[in-house]
Amino acid sequence: MSPRTKEQYDSIRESRKNLIMDTALELFANNGYHATSISIIAQKAGISKGLLYNYFKSKEKLLIEILSSGLREFTDELDLDKDGVITDEEFIHFIDLMFKTLKAKRDYWRLYFSVILQPAVLVLIKDQYRSILETTLNMMEAYFRKKGNKNPRMQALIFGSLLDGIGINYIMDSASFNLKETKKIIINNFLNLNKHEK
């Protein structure tokens, strides 16, 4: 049998890292961050605790990687052409993606909302969280300014808070929350801000 190539090793490493992150995400989301130990994650992933530490130096680092990579993946979709300016089409795409990921990545959002509502856990990721969200907030502020809003910073904060509130309510009670109708209302209201302001 021929020795593995660097590409094969990289692929195995990436696959193991994803396995660890997916396993930890499920356990953190369903059992809580504090109730989930590295030993439990390793056991559920079918790897040794020592091997897990080769990928993540601590449970805290693992949580940070899960949340920040998921948040970056999501917020990167706000500016599809990476020109620093949000168009109406990108705004609609972003809202559409938000609602799709609420359904498709429930464990991620359950973990995300549980962390931002627990100051003792939020402090672990505050630097990454603030950095990612500040960039998004600044782009949204510029978007609302372009739409003619008189207080675009506040409008961006309200918009973010609205999406968080919808997300929390949907995760808590998805059966009675109509995402399709909610999405229509948000798009209609926020795309026509300049009309409401006159």
Side-chain angles (χ1 to χ4, degrees), residues 10 16 34 43-44 84 92-93 115:
D10 289 345
R16 278 198 188 130
H34 291 298
Q43 182 180 15
K44 172 110 185 192
I92 291 168
H93 170 78
V115 166

Side-chain angles (χ1 to χ4, degrees), residues 12-21 55-56 65:
I12 290 167
R13 185 163 178 80
E14 188 66 23
S15 178
R16 278 198 188 130
K17 183 180 178 184
N18 290 335
L19 171 65
I20 293 166
M21 289 175 66
Y55 290 86
F56 299 97
E65 179 68 20

